[in-house]
C-alpha cells in the first residue's frame, strides 16, 4: 500500500491527532523512508531523527526537545548536515543501484534528490493560462512559471478548491509535460496539417494525463485509450468529461498476456481485445519500476528488490511487441517510462530497433532531479512508409 494511503487510513482511525500532529507524523515517516537503503544498521528511533534532520529545513519543537544542537542548524544545506556525525559515507548508500542506471543519470545528484520532496506541477490547458495564474494569485498560493503552460508549486499547495482541475489545468509533472514535445513531433498541427484522420492510441492510459495532453496538442485526433484495469478507465472517463473530451474509444486489455510473433503491421491478434484500426501514434507509457518518481514515494525505494528491474524489462518488451503491430505505415511509437534504469530504457530501445524495422527519431532522459521533478525516459520511433514497397 502506498504510504500516503496508509497514513490517510491511519489518521481516519485515530482522530486524536490534530492537524499539527498529522503533519509531523507524516514528515517523520516520509523522512525515514527518504534515507533509502542507508543507515539501516542503526536503531529505528535514531534513523527517524537523522532522516528528519537531513530532509527538513525549518526548526521544530519536536527536534528541539530531542536534538537541540541539530535543530539550530537544520536550515543549512544537506551537504553540510551530512558532516554531522560523520555519516557522509553511509549516506551514499541511499540508492545502492548505481550499476543499473541509464547512461545520462548523475548518480550523486539522483541520490541526494531523494532527500527532498519534489514540487507539484500543473499544466494550464489551452486558453486557461491567464485564468489559472489569476486564481493562484487571488488565493495567495506561491507559484513559479516554468514555461508557457507549466507552473511549479510547493507540494503541499491546496489547489483543488482554487482551480477547476482537468478543465482549466491538469496536475502533471514537469517532465511528463515535456513528453508533449515528442507527441508534437508525431501529431502536431505542423506535422499533419489538414489531414482529416489521425488515430492515436494511449495503450497504457492509466489516469489519462498524456491523452489529455495529446488532445490539447491536436484536438482533431481520433483518440483510443486502454488499460488492463477497468476501475482506472472509469476514473479516466471522469477526467475526460471535465476536460471536454467526448468522442473517444476505450477498452480493457492486458497487453502483456498474449505472446505475439512479429509480422507485418497488417496482421492482427484479436486476443488482445483490439480491432483492426491502424494508428498514426501509439503512446506506450509502460508499467515500470517507477524509480524516477521515488522522491515522491520513498517507501518504494526502501522496499525495492533489484530483481524487479529484469521482470519489468521483460514485461515492457512484451507490451511493445504486441502494440507495435497496430502501427500505421508512417506512424509513430512513443515509448515512455518513469524509470532511471538502463534495462527499462536504453535496452528496450535497442530491443525495438533490433526486432522491428523502426527508425529512432528522438530519445532523451528527462532529468527530474535537477528540477525537483520526476525523471522520465522517452523514445520516439517511426515506422517508415518505404517498407511497404
Amino acid at each position: 500500500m502506498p504510504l500516503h494511503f496508509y497514513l490517510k487510513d491511519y489518521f481516519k482511525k485515530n482522530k486524536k491527532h490534530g492537524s499539527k500532529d498529522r503533519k509531523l507524523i507524516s514528515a517523520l515517516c516520509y523522512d525515514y523512508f527518504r534515507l533509502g537503503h542507508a543507515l539501516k544498521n542503526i536503531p529505528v528511533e535514531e534513523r527517524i531523527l537523522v532522516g528528519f534532520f537531513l530532509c527538513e529545513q525549518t526548526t521544530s519543537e519536536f527536534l528541539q526537545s530531542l536534538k537541540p544542537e541539530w535543530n539550530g542548524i537544520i536550515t543549512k544545506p544537506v551537504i553540510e548536515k551530512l558532516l554531522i556525525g560523520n555519516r557522509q559515507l553511509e549516506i551514499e548508500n541511499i540508492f545502492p543501484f548505481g550499476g543499473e542506471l541509464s547512461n545520462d543519470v548523475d548518480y550523486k545528484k539522483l541520490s541526494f534528490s531523494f532527500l527532498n520532496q519534489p514540487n507539484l506541477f500543473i499544466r494550464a490547458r489551452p486558453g486557461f493560462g491567464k485564468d489559472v495564474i489569476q486564481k493562484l494569485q487571488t488565493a495567495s498560493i506561491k507559484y513559479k512559471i516554468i514555461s508557457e503552460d507549466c507552473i511549479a508549486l510547493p507540494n503541499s499547495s491546496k489547489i483543488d478548491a482554487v482551480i477547476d482541475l482537468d478543465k482549466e489545468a491538469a496536475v502533471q509533472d514537469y517532465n511528463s509535460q515535456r513528453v508533449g514535445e515528442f507527441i508534437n513531433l508525431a501529431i502536431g498541427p505542423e506535422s499533419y496539417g489538414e489531414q482529416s484522420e489521425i488515430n492515436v492510441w494511449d495503450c497504457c492510459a492509466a489516469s489519462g494525463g498524456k491523452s489529455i495532453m495529446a488532445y490539447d496538442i491536436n484536438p482533431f485526433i481520433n483518440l483510443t485509450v486502454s488499460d488492463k484495469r477497468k476501475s482506472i478507465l472509469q476514473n479516466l472517463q471522469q477526467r475526460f468529461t471535465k476536460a471536454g473530451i467526448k468522442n473517444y474509444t476505450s477498452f480493457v486489455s492486458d497487453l502483456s498476456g498474449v505472446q505475439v510473433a512479429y509480422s507485418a503491421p497488417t496482421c492482427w491478434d484479436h486476443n488482445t481485445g483490439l480491432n483492426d484500426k491502424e494508428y498514426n501514434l501509439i503512446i506506450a507509457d509502460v508499467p515500470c519500476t517507477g524509480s524516477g518518481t521515488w522522491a515522491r514515494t520513498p517507501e518504494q525505494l526502501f522496499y525495492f528488490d533489484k530483481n524487479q528491474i529484469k521482470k519489468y524489462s521483460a514485461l515492457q518488451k512484451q507490451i511493445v511487441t504486441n502494440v507495435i503491430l497496430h502501427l500505421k505505415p508512417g506512424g509513430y511509437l512513443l515509448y515512455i517510462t518513469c524509470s532511471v534504469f538502463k534495462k527499462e530504457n536504453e535496452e528496450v530501445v535497442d530491443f525495438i530497433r533490433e526486432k522491428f524495422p523502426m527508425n529512432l527519431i528522438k530519445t532523451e532522459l528527462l532529468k527530474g532531479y535537477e528540477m525537483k521533478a520526476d525523471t522520465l525516459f522517452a523514445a520516439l520511433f517511426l515506422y517508415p512508409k518505404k517498407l511497404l514497397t
Side-chain angles (χ1 to χ4, degrees):
M1 179 186 294
L3 180 56
H4 71 280
F5 285 133
Y6 179 87
L7 289 173
K8 183 178 181 180
D9 183 63
Y10 171 79
F11 292 137
K12 184 177 180 180
K13 295 177 180 178
N14 293 270
K15 303 291 187 181
K16 62 182 179 180
H17 298 303
S19 60
K20 187 176 180 180
D21 291 334
R22 293 196 298 271
K23 184 177 180 180
L24 176 60
I25 291 170
S26 296
L28 292 171
C29 291
Y30 271 97
D31 294 343
Y32 173 85
F33 286 121
R34 286 191 182 285
L35 294 181
H37 293 256
L39 305 178
K40 285 190 172 182
N41 60 331
I42 66 175
V44 171
E45 293 85 351
E46 184 180 350
R47 195 174 189 274
I48 290 174
L49 286 176
V50 172
F52 188 82
F53 171 61
L54 292 176
C55 299
E56 301 300 320
Q57 286 292 316
T58 56
T59 58
S60 67
E61 296 178 4
F62 167 77
L63 196 58
Q64 181 66 28
S65 66
L66 296 173
K67 286 280 189 179
E69 67 276 18
W70 286 5
N71 196 46
I73 58 173
I74 198 169
T75 58
K76 290 185 176 294
V78 172
I79 296 293
E80 294 184 30
K81 290 194 283 187
L82 285 174
L83 298 177
I84 305 300
N86 194 31
R87 300 192 185 279
Q88 67 271 28
L89 296 178
E90 294 176 283
I91 289 297
E92 292 180 358
N93 294 324
I94 290 175
F95 186 88
F97 313 112
E100 302 289 339
L101 290 174
S102 284
N103 298 333
D104 294 335
V105 177
D106 186 311
Y107 175 61
K108 187 173 183 179
K109 287 183 179 179
L110 175 69
S111 296
F112 278 103
S113 72
F114 296 118
L115 299 177
N116 296 293
Q117 172 73 280
N119 285 326
L120 171 68
F121 294 90
I122 59 175
R123 180 178 61 84
R125 300 193 64 215
F128 290 102
K130 292 182 179 179
D131 293 337
V132 169
I133 294 297
Q134 185 175 18
K135 288 185 175 184
L136 292 174
Q137 292 174 342
T138 301
S140 299
I141 295 177
K142 294 181 180 179
Y143 68 90
K144 181 179 180 181
I145 298 176
I146 305 299
S147 65
E148 183 178 358
D149 302 320
C150 183
I151 304 168
L153 308 98
N155 191 70
S156 59
S157 301
K158 305 297 183 183
I159 61 172
D160 303 53
V162 176
I163 298 170
D164 193 349
L165 292 178
D166 294 325
K167 178 181 179 180
E168 297 176 326
V171 175
Q172 190 169 31
D173 181 76
Y174 166 71
N175 280 322
S176 184
Q177 294 185 43
R178 284 203 58 203
V179 169
E181 300 168 16
F182 291 76
I183 295 175
N184 189 65
L185 285 175
I187 60 160
E190 293 183 0
S191 301
Y192 271 90
E194 299 297 324
Q195 182 168 329
S196 59
E197 183 174 296
I198 307 172
N199 297 323
V200 176
W201 176 25
D202 190 352
C203 67
C204 303
S207 61
K210 292 181 179 63
S211 290
I212 296 174
M213 184 165 60
Y215 175 84
D216 288 344
I217 290 172
N218 191 334
F220 300 105
I221 61 176
N222 299 319
L223 185 60
T224 297
V225 294
S226 65
D227 199 279
K228 71 175 184 178
R229 300 157 294 181
K230 184 177 181 180
S231 60
I232 290 292
L233 291 178
Q234 291 171 339
N235 293 334
L236 176 147
Q237 181 181 13
Q238 296 175 5
R239 290 194 71 189
F240 276 15
T241 298
K242 293 193 66 178
I245 302 176
K246 299 177 181 179
N247 299 317
Y248 66 96
T249 302
S250 68
F251 61 91
V252 178
S253 183
D254 183 353
L255 296 169
S256 67
V258 181
Q259 301 295 321
V260 180
Y262 175 69
S263 57
T266 53
C267 297
W268 311 104
D269 190 320
H270 294 279
N271 292 324
T272 61
L274 296 172
N275 56 32
D276 58 358
K277 181 183 290 187
E278 293 181 320
Y279 294 94
N280 302 88
L281 170 64
I282 298 176
I283 302 172
D285 189 357
V286 294
C288 67
T289 57
S291 47
T293 69
W294 285 347
R296 297 188 190 277
T297 56
E299 71 276 17
Q300 301 295 328
L301 167 61
F302 183 87
Y303 290 112
F304 183 68
D305 177 0
K306 192 172 78 169
N307 293 323
Q308 293 296 314
I309 302 174
K310 186 176 181 180
K311 293 181 180 179
Y312 274 109
S313 181
L315 172 65
Q316 291 149 3
K317 292 172 183 176
Q318 186 59 56
I319 290 175
V320 297
T321 296
N322 288 336
V323 303
I324 209 168
L325 304 178
H326 302 270
L327 263 184
K328 186 176 184 178
Y332 294 86
L333 171 71
L334 177 54
Y335 176 79
I336 309 166
T337 75
C338 50
S339 173
V340 295
F341 295 130
K342 182 183 296 185
K343 286 187 182 300
E344 299 183 275
N345 297 337
E346 291 92 340
E347 288 193 14
V348 176
V349 167
D350 291 341
F351 168 82
I352 294 172
R353 297 182 72 183
E354 291 171 4
K355 188 168 184 180
F356 302 95
M358 304 286 285
N359 294 338
L360 180 61
I361 303 301
K362 180 180 180 180
T363 183
E364 185 175 356
L365 181 77
L366 305 170
K367 302 171 184 177
Y369 50 80
E370 296 179 344
M371 290 287 298
K372 295 189 72 174
D374 297 338
T375 294
L376 274 70
F377 177 86
L380 183 66
F381 296 88
L382 170 68
Y383 185 87
K385 294 180 180 179
K386 65 181 182 180
L387 290 177
L388 292 181
T389 60

